[in-house]
Amino acid sequence: MNLKLTHPTAFVPTMGALHAGHESLIKIAKELANEVVVSIYVNPLQFENPNDFSSYPKTLESDTKLAEASGATLVWAPTFEEIYPSDPELISAGEIGNLFEGVHRFGHFDGVLTVVKRLFDLVQPKYAVFGEKDFQQLFLINQMVNQMQLPVKIIAAPTIREANGVAMSSRNSRLSVSEQGQATGIYLALKTAAAANDLERARHLLNKEITSIPGFLLDYAEIIDENTFEVATEITAKSRAIVAGWINGVRLLDNMAMPKLEVPE
Ligand code: PAF
């Protein structure tokens, strides 16, 4: 397959159902290169639940409009056969792929890395832009690029939030107005933790606030070391709080840097 691109190319891989968060990724890509490819591909390998995969929203027409209006020069919606012409060999996300999100979505990150590597092979971008909202995904993609020495520069884009602070996600549309109000609690808990000056207090506040959000079924809330994705300790140079859970069957994840806990490297 030949995508007939002019190089250098900036790439924004997506699964569609684009929103303002994706728009910001595409705009960042446009600042990096004239040729901006947005892929729209719902990757079956990263869904542990077949119902989740089959019910994933498909909105190609509006996605194409949004992507083009944001600066995409090619909106590419490949078929399964284009991505996986033969049985794909899974790329392992290793130990970190089994932590946090990986505990709750077994094999998910192996599927993500496998498709991202395949997309990189096909697009051959100079830059690829990923949102910080999926922080563990971003970490693992960076790790894969470093380990395999892939010739692509990964650009991390800040999380875009709704006016009430909720991190933008295609899943937010499944929340009622009152559930959106509950989801704000996640943002507020992260902000409260980020205001603490020491790790123990930040952890305490995060747990206290997050467990008091009505209707929020917590999967995990932790402060991790951004450089290793291990649980942060007093000597961690760069910490970040990560949270995931459910409101009425809708999975929500968020994270926030904890700059006040920074220890000089
Ligand atoms: O973040 C996503 O939308 C997906 O995990 C990605 C990176 C497009 C791979 O399918």
Side-chain angles (χ1 to χ4, degrees):
M1 188 179 46
N2 183 353
L3 288 173
K4 294 200 181 72
L5 299 168
T6 59
H7 289 275
T9 297
F11 180 37
V12 183
T14 81
M15 297 205 300
L18 303 187
H19 50 68
H22 296 104
E23 197 179 314
S24 82
L25 304 185
I26 300 167
K27 287 186 174 158
I28 290 172
K30 195 67 189 175
E31 283 170 20
L32 297 165
N34 221 3
E35 184 87 276
V36 173
V37 178
V38 174
S39 64
I40 297 180
Y41 180 67
V42 186
N43 170 37
L45 300 189
Q46 70 189 75
F47 286 82
E48 343 57 79
N49 176 343
N51 289 339
D52 256 10
F53 170 66
S54 52
S55 63
Y56 203 86
K58 288 172 191 71
T59 52
L60 186 57
E61 208 175 306
S62 55
D63 288 348
T64 305
K65 280 192 192 135
L66 182 144
E68 286 176 352
S70 312
T73 45
L74 176 69
V75 179
W76 176 49
T79 61
F80 180 86
E81 287 72 24
E82 279 173 298
I83 297 294
Y84 303 119
S86 55
D87 263 0
E89 200 175 305
L90 274 184
I91 295 176
S92 166
E95 270 175 41
I96 296 164
N98 293 330
L99 303 177
F100 303 112
E101 275 307 282
V103 171
H104 301 273
R105 307 191 62 188
F106 189 73
H108 167 69
F109 288 120
D110 296 350
V112 170
L113 295 189
T114 304
V115 78
V116 168
K117 168 72 169 55
R118 181 74 190 128
L119 291 165
F120 285 174
D121 287 348
L122 292 166
V123 176
Q124 297 188 13
K126 179 164 184 190
Y127 305 98
V129 188
F130 293 89
E132 282 187 346
K133 153 106 188 340
D134 295 302
F135 205 77
Q136 194 173 359
Q137 166 172 285
L138 175 64
F139 177 94
L140 290 165
I141 290 170
N142 265 314
Q143 181 175 265
M144 173 179 78
V145 166
N146 290 335
Q147 284 172 351
M148 294 186 175
Q149 299 188 351
L150 303 179
V152 54
K153 187 162 170 41
I154 303 300
I155 309 294
T159 300
I160 304 296
R161 297 181 179 279
E162 311 275 0
N164 63 7
V166 176
M168 285 217 179
S169 158
S170 316
R171 297 190 179 107
N172 293 354
S173 60
R174 286 159 52 201
L175 296 173
S176 68
V177 174
S178 70
E179 287 162 354
Q180 298 228 4
Q182 290 163 266
T184 311
I186 302 170
Y187 170 67
L188 296 177
L190 288 166
K191 259 183 56 168
T192 305
N197 288 317
D198 71 84
L199 181 60
E200 199 183 325
R201 177 133 185 86
R203 236 180 216 131
H204 167 75
L205 289 172
L206 178 65
N207 280 302
K208 180 165 158 273
E209 297 284 319
I210 211 87
T211 49
S212 57
I213 301 171
F216 183 56
L217 195 61
L218 180 67
D219 272 350
Y220 58 82
E222 189 47 277
I223 299 179
I224 53 107
D225 181 334
E226 279 195 18
N227 296 322
T228 60
F229 229 88
E230 283 167 11
V231 171
T233 67
E234 295 299 337
I235 56 159
T236 291
K238 233 170 173 232
S239 308
R240 184 171 286 259
I242 55 169
V243 172
W246 304 82
I247 291 181
N248 196 16
V250 180
R251 186 164 178 79
L252 298 170
L253 35 157
D254 204 346
N255 65 81
M256 195 176 280
M258 303 276 119
K260 286 196 169 182
L261 306 182
E262 249 172 56
V263 178
E265 271 175 287

